[in-house]
Amino acid sequence: MQHEVSVCKIFSFDAAHQLIGHKGKCANVHGHTYRLEVVLKGRPVTEEGRSDEGFVADFGDIKALVKARIVDKLDHAFMAKGDEPVLETLQASGSKVAVLSFRTTAENLAGYIAYTLRQSGLPVYSVKLWETPTAWAEVLAADIPEHGPAYCMNGGCDL
Amino acid sequence: MQHEVSVCKIFSFDAAHQLIGHKGKCANVHGHTYRLEVVLKGRPVTEEGRSDEGFVADFGDIKALVKARIVDKLDHAFMAKGDEPVLETLQASGSKVAVLSFRTTAENLAGYIAYTLRQSGLPVYSVKLWETPTAWAEVLAADIPEHGPAYCMNGGCDL
Amino acid sequence: MQHEVSVCKIFSFDAAHQLIGHKGKCANVHGHTYRLEVVLKGRPVTEEGRSDEGFVADFGDIKALVKARIVDKLDHAFMAKGDEPVLETLQASGSKVAVLSFRTTAENLAGYIAYTLRQSGLPVYSVKLWETPTAWAEVLAADIPEHGPAYCMNGGCDL
């Protein structure tokens, strides 16, 4: 759309997970240094003299919101669907856990993050989540229905 | 489209080539460390308990197919159109050659890879090929006709 | 569109700027190592025997034009809107200055670069400007009106 610009702010978090039932090595408890790219799209502010003149959104504001809603919750946590055998022991021993209720694939996590940020009022255009330096999943916010990502249809969605 | 997610798996291969008739330095035999990004798009599997629940496609499966059809063929090879003076000597001396029948620009290679993977049954959305760390070409699978990329119209297309 | 391919050439330049009126640390004179990604889109040349057969555009030609019109102007310069208190002293002491007339946010700079290159005859599809390794702004050339980016509406646009 005329005058629209995309802006992206990139984050990183380290988390563990386990894909129960996976035929390959992801069936083990393992972890990744996730790289999270949050893209917003809109018209830059044109009113002169404002702090945010020329910005779609102030990178500092995006940073604060994504940190509070996503990074602080997932960083150095075990991201759980809820059916992992280690879950109880982790919780009992005080190791950080984020119970998400869905299978923690890169696809589902990207959908979860985009939906959560949109619910927080951020004009999210897309979210790209790198699971490793050679693999990512990306979701457009417009492809997520108002009631949440596809995995919510299986029930147990804690959004 | 609702619920669709993109996933990307990234590969690397080292290959030589030569652009006969180029006005600049690409007229010489030279080579690159190519970086290949294969993007698929689709709805993640939602049936619980399956190995691929929450995946658009298992990264392990993508990896196996791209390795077999592309990387194994091009890695440490001389990628030839067929009119290169060194071709005969390379073949006679047992140096690996991939005769592709088209001029081996990044644009044509990206089209070749996307078309080949689509013919192999992969739901390819796009292919981005980095020729150097500062230059890439990208093709959307939807922009490649069913009978093959544009260079096939010049005949000699061995797809 | 059928047979279209995107190509991207990436540049880097180091520049200083200052956002007068910003509520945060960007109100100070500071600088960045900008990374500039220029994307063109079109059909590769199919006529055999030409220097540019198989190219959307020769990376060498893109490089020469972007260097002449953008990088040589902004590299190691203070990018100014024109209202910065240090401007006069910089100019008097012979320190390189690029007076741009707009607030030098990543969003506005991306719009400026895309518009300038399009005016120079390059078939620009998009421009992505990295301000830091974790933040970028991107503009599609099609979203910039013929008379220039949004900031030109505030007057003082020297394009």
Side-chain angles (χ1 to χ4, degrees):
Chain A
M1 202 178 293
Q2 270 211 346
H3 294 310
E4 281 200 337
V5 179
S6 301
V7 292
C8 175
K9 185 69 194 160
I10 301 177
F11 304 84
S12 176
F13 61 89
D14 300 86
H17 75 153
Q18 179 180 29
L19 300 186
I20 302 294
H22 185 252
K23 65 182 180 184
K25 57 190 177 180
C26 298
N28 301 295
V29 173
H30 63 291
H32 304 283
T33 294
Y34 289 90
R35 175 184 162 100
L36 167 63
E37 304 184 8
V38 177
V39 177
L40 314 184
K41 198 168 187 176
R43 296 183 172 208
V45 171
T46 52
E47 296 160 66
E48 286 202 274
R50 282 179 48 164
S51 169
D52 57 358
E53 184 202 338
F55 289 135
V56 168
D58 195 310
F59 283 133
D61 297 340
I62 304 172
K63 206 168 157 179
L65 197 143
V66 176
K67 190 178 176 307
R69 300 302 304 264
I70 303 295
V71 176
D72 287 351
K73 181 171 181 177
L74 303 182
D75 188 40
H76 284 78
F78 178 75
M79 302 185 298
K81 179 178 183 183
D83 60 354
E84 294 85 352
V86 294
L87 189 51
E88 207 177 331
T89 311
L90 286 171
Q91 289 172 321
S93 59
S95 190
K96 189 174 168 184
V97 173
V99 181
L100 298 169
S101 83
F102 55 82
R103 205 175 194 226
T104 58
T105 60
E107 289 91 326
N108 284 346
L109 285 164
Y112 163 76
I113 293 168
Y115 185 70
T116 303
L117 292 176
R118 189 174 71 186
Q119 295 290 94
S120 307
L122 211 62
V124 182
Y125 177 75
S126 63
V127 161
K128 184 184 280 185
L129 186 68
W130 293 76
E131 194 172 69
T132 72
T134 61
W136 52 252
E138 183 181 42
V139 66
L140 302 183
D143 290 340
I144 304 176
E146 217 173 313
H147 57 273
Y151 55 73
C152 290
M153 296 189 294
N154 295 337
C157 185
D158 74 345
L159 294 170
Chain B
M1 203 179 292
Q2 271 211 348
H3 293 310
E4 283 199 337
V5 179
S6 302
V7 293
C8 175
K9 186 67 194 161
I10 301 177
F11 304 85
S12 177
F13 62 90
D14 300 85
H17 75 152
Q18 179 179 29
L19 300 185
I20 302 294
H22 186 252
K23 65 182 180 185
K25 56 190 178 180
C26 298
N28 301 295
V29 172
H30 63 290
H32 304 284
T33 295
Y34 289 90
R35 175 185 162 97
L36 167 63
E37 303 184 7
V38 177
V39 177
L40 314 184
K41 198 169 185 175
R43 295 184 172 206
V45 171
T46 52
E47 295 159 67
E48 285 203 274
R50 283 179 48 163
S51 169
D52 58 358
E53 184 202 338
F55 289 133
V56 168
D58 195 310
F59 283 133
D61 297 341
I62 304 172
K63 208 168 155 178
L65 198 144
V66 176
K67 190 178 175 307
R69 300 302 305 263
I70 303 296
V71 176
D72 287 351
K73 181 172 183 177
L74 303 182
D75 189 39
H76 284 77
F78 178 75
M79 303 186 297
K81 180 179 181 181
D83 60 354
E84 294 85 353
V86 294
L87 190 51
E88 207 176 332
T89 312
L90 286 171
Q91 288 173 321
S93 60
S95 190
K96 188 174 169 185
V97 173
V99 182
L100 298 169
S101 83
F102 55 83
R103 206 175 194 224
T104 58
T105 61
E107 289 90 327
N108 284 346
L109 285 164
Y112 163 76
I113 293 168
Y115 185 70
T116 303
L117 292 175
R118 190 175 70 187
Q119 296 290 93
S120 307
L122 211 62
V124 182
Y125 177 75
S126 63
V127 162
K128 184 183 281 185
L129 185 69
W130 293 75
E131 195 172 68
T132 72
T134 62
W136 52 252
E138 183 181 42
V139 66
L140 303 184
D143 289 341
I144 304 176
E146 217 172 314
H147 57 273
Y151 55 73
C152 290
M153 297 188 294
N154 294 335
C157 186
D158 75 344
L159 293 171
Chain C
M1 202 179 292
Q2 269 209 350
H3 293 310
E4 282 200 336
V5 178
S6 302
V7 293
C8 174
K9 184 68 194 159
I10 302 178
F11 305 85
S12 177
F13 61 89
D14 299 86
H17 75 152
Q18 178 179 30
L19 300 184
I20 302 294
H22 185 252
K23 65 182 179 184
K25 56 191 178 179
C26 298
N28 301 296
V29 173
H30 63 292
H32 304 284
T33 294
Y34 289 90
R35 175 184 163 99
L36 167 63
E37 304 183 8
V38 178
V39 177
L40 314 184
K41 197 170 185 175
R43 295 184 172 207
V45 172
T46 52
E47 296 159 68
E48 284 202 275
R50 283 179 48 163
S51 169
D52 57 357
E53 183 202 338
F55 289 135
V56 168
D58 194 311
F59 283 133
D61 297 340
I62 305 173
K63 207 168 157 178
L65 197 144
V66 176
K67 189 178 176 308
R69 301 301 305 262
I70 303 297
V71 176
D72 286 351
K73 182 172 182 177
L74 303 182
D75 188 41
H76 284 77
F78 178 75
M79 303 185 298
K81 179 179 182 181
D83 60 354
E84 295 85 352
V86 294
L87 189 51
E88 207 177 330
T89 312
L90 286 172
Q91 289 172 319
S93 59
S95 190
K96 188 174 168 185
V97 172
V99 181
L100 298 169
S101 83
F102 56 81
R103 205 175 194 225
T104 58
T105 61
E107 289 89 328
N108 284 346
L109 286 164
Y112 163 76
I113 294 168
Y115 185 71
T116 302
L117 292 176
R118 190 175 69 186
Q119 296 290 95
S120 307
L122 211 62
V124 182
Y125 177 75
S126 63
V127 162
K128 185 183 280 187
L129 186 68
W130 292 76
E131 194 171 69
T132 72
T134 62
W136 52 253
E138 183 182 41
V139 66
L140 303 184
D143 290 341
I144 303 177
E146 218 173 313
H147 55 274
Y151 55 73
C152 290
M153 297 189 292
N154 294 335
C157 186
D158 74 344
L159 293 170

